[in-house]
């Protein structure tokens, strides 16, 4: 009697976990790309913990992200964010979703690229705008023309996000589909230098 063959997703999950080793799988991208929703689903599929860096920042500071921006300004917020992400990267494996500006910080990006494995969730402007315009909680979009602001952020940040280890297109498909594509993209790194040390 022949053994049932594992599904493609099961094979990808096993390969992705092997690639990841003890590192964090770090989701980067603009607000509205789905980093938390997709990241949480990927963590479930890989059977590892999930943490959202924004939630962790709010927990340690006992302030919301908008409150932190208003009280201290963006530079101070980015410094706090870098400290929190540095601490989170020391323990793994787990899935870590980051705020849209985290990967733009040179020090944070260097830490992620050196000690984690990064996935850029790339989305078109129309997809992002449809998602973020539903909530009024984005400090960077409190401008006279928030859609133009979002478009400008896209132009500024996409060349930097492109430095992530893998890119996955975020779109209006089922979250399970995007999550499976993210795992498959990581699994393909098994054949590259990004494979985790076996020690």
């Amino acid at each position: 009697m022949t053994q049932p063959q594992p599904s493609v997703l099961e094979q990808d999950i096993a390969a992705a976990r092997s690639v990841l080793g003890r590192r964090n799988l770090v989701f980067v991208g603009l607000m509205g790309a789905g980093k938390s929703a997709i990241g949480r689903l990927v963590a479930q599929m890989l059977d590892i913990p999930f943490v959202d860096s924004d939630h962790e920042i709010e927990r340690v500071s006992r302030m919301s992200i908008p409150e932190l921006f208003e009280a201290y300004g963006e530079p101070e917020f980015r410094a706090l964010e870098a400290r929190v992400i540095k601490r989170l990267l020391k323990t793994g494996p787990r899935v870590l979703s980051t705020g849209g500006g985290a990967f733009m910080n040179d020090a944070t990006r260097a830490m992620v690229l050196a000690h984690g494995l990064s996935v850029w969730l790339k989305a078109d402007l129309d997809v992002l705008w449809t998602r973020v315009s539903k909530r009024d909680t984005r400090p960077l979009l409190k401008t006279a023309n928030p859609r133009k602001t979002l478009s400008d952020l896209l132009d500024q940040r996409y060349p930097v996000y492109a430095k992530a280890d893998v890119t996955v297109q975020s779109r209006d498909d089922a979250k399970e589909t995007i999550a499976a594509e993210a795992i498959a993209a990581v699994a393909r790194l098994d054949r590259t230098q990004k494979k985790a040390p076996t020690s």
Side-chain angles (χ1 to χ4, degrees):
M1 195 167 109
T2 58
Q3 292 291 320
Q5 292 299 307
S7 70
V8 172
L9 180 57
E10 287 171 345
Q11 292 172 338
D12 284 345
I13 286 170
R17 289 199 58 155
S18 172
V19 171
L20 200 55
R22 292 187 294 272
R23 295 175 296 179
N24 281 245
L25 186 61
V26 183
F27 279 86
V28 304
L30 264 182
M31 60 186 85
K35 300 183 297 291
S36 293
I38 302 301
R40 190 173 283 110
L41 198 51
V42 167
Q44 290 172 4
M45 290 175 166
L46 295 178
D47 195 25
I48 58 177
F50 170 81
V51 63
D52 182 308
S53 66
D54 279 354
H55 293 168
E56 189 66 10
I57 290 164
E58 291 180 336
R59 187 184 71 79
V60 299
S61 67
R62 298 183 181 179
M63 296 173 73
S64 70
I65 301 297
E67 287 169 347
L68 286 165
F69 263 79
E70 189 171 342
Y72 300 108
E74 187 174 0
E76 280 298 312
F77 171 78
R78 295 301 172 201
L80 171 61
E81 181 178 55
R83 291 195 299 272
V84 168
I85 290 174
K86 181 178 181 179
R87 176 173 57 79
L88 292 172
L89 286 171
K90 290 179 179 176
T91 307
R94 62 180 155 201
V95 174
L96 169 62
S97 73
T98 62
F103 204 64
M104 299 301 295
N105 179 290
D106 291 342
T108 302
R109 184 171 65 255
M111 286 188 295
V112 169
L113 292 174
H115 305 293
L117 203 156
S118 49
V119 178
W120 173 25
L121 278 183
K122 182 180 182 180
D124 296 335
L125 177 62
D126 288 343
V127 171
L128 294 171
W129 177 246
T130 298
R131 293 174 180 175
V132 302
S133 60
K134 293 173 183 171
R135 289 189 296 169
D136 186 30
T137 58
R138 310 285 186 172
L140 294 179
L141 294 185
K142 293 188 183 301
T143 62
N145 188 341
R147 185 186 166 97
K148 173 70 165 56
T149 302
L150 184 64
S151 177
D152 290 344
L153 285 171
L154 187 148
D155 291 340
Q156 294 161 16
R157 293 181 174 183
Y158 274 25
V160 178
Y161 291 151
K163 297 178 182 180
D165 297 307
V166 296
T167 300
V168 175
Q169 192 71 31
S170 180
R171 56 200 185 279
D172 288 331
D173 273 356
K175 291 195 292 281
E176 291 78 8
T177 300
I178 312 296
E181 289 176 2
I183 290 171
V186 173
R188 285 194 293 273
L189 294 174
D190 200 14
R191 296 182 291 278
T192 75
Q193 75 282 5
K194 266 289 173 182
K195 180 155 183 176
T198 52
S199 60

